[in-house]
C-alpha cells in the first residue's frame, strides 16, 4: 500500500462490473431521494445515508453482497462504515455516480 492510496477513489464502472458478476448482490444508492429521482443507476435501490438503520434493512441477510454508491464516493464510504457496524459483512464502496459512464434512470 502506497503512502497516498487513501486518496484514490473507487472506480464506479469497475464496481458495477463486479456487481453484475455477483449473484444475489444489491446495488444501494445512499443519496437523498431527490438526487435519486434526478437520475440513478438502473437496478439500484435508494436507501439515503441518514436513513441507514432507521428504516428498512439494507438486505435480508447480513452476508448479502452490497455495492454502495453516492454522488462522489464520500457518503458511500460513510455508509459502508455504518453498515459494517450494523453487522453487514460483504460490503463494497464503488464510489460516485459523478464518474459513471452508463445510462441513468429517472
Amino acid at each position: 500500500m502506497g503512502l497516498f492510496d487513501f486518496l484514490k477513489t473507487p472506480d464506479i464502472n469497475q464496481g458495477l462490473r463486479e456487481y453484475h458478476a455477483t449473484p444475489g448482490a444489491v446495488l444501494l444508492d445512499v443519496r437523498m431521494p431527490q438526487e435519486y429521482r434526478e437520475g440513478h443507476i438502473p437496478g439500484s435501490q435508494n436507501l439515503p445515508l441518514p436513513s441507514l438503520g432507521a428504516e428498512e434493512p439494507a438486505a435480508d441477510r447480513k452476508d448479502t453482497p452490497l455495492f454502495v454508491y453516492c454522488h462522489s464516493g464520500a457518503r458511500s464510504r460513510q455508509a459502508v462504515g455504518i453498515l459494517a457496524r450494523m453487522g453487514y459483512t460483504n460490503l463494497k464502496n464503488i464510489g460516485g455516480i459523478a464518474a459513471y459512464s452508463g445510462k441513468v434512470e429517472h
Side-chain angles (χ1 to χ4, degrees):
M1 185 162 135
L3 181 60
F4 295 104
D5 281 353
F6 69 94
L7 294 175
K8 291 182 182 173
T9 56
D11 179 348
I12 191 166
N13 299 297
Q14 175 59 35
L16 285 167
R17 285 189 288 277
E18 292 175 32
Y19 159 71
H20 288 296
T22 306
V26 174
L27 182 60
L28 289 180
D29 182 327
V30 295
R31 298 176 301 150
M32 298 306 290
Q34 179 181 342
E35 293 174 285
Y36 185 79
R37 285 190 300 271
E38 290 170 359
H40 57 272
I41 298 171
S44 64
Q45 298 175 20
N46 187 218
L47 188 58
L49 181 63
S51 300
L52 285 180
E55 291 181 12
E56 63 196 67
D60 293 336
R61 296 171 41 132
K62 298 287 186 178
D63 63 348
T64 298
L66 300 177
F67 289 77
V68 185
Y69 76 93
C70 62
H71 178 75
S72 67
R75 284 178 282 181
S76 55
R77 182 173 49 248
Q78 288 179 311
V80 164
I82 292 167
L83 290 163
R85 287 190 294 279
M86 291 169 62
Y88 290 93
T89 58
N90 197 346
L91 301 163
K92 184 165 182 95
N93 172 17
I94 62 170
I97 195 171
Y100 174 57
S101 61
K103 294 181 180 182
V104 296
E105 290 181 341
H106 297 275

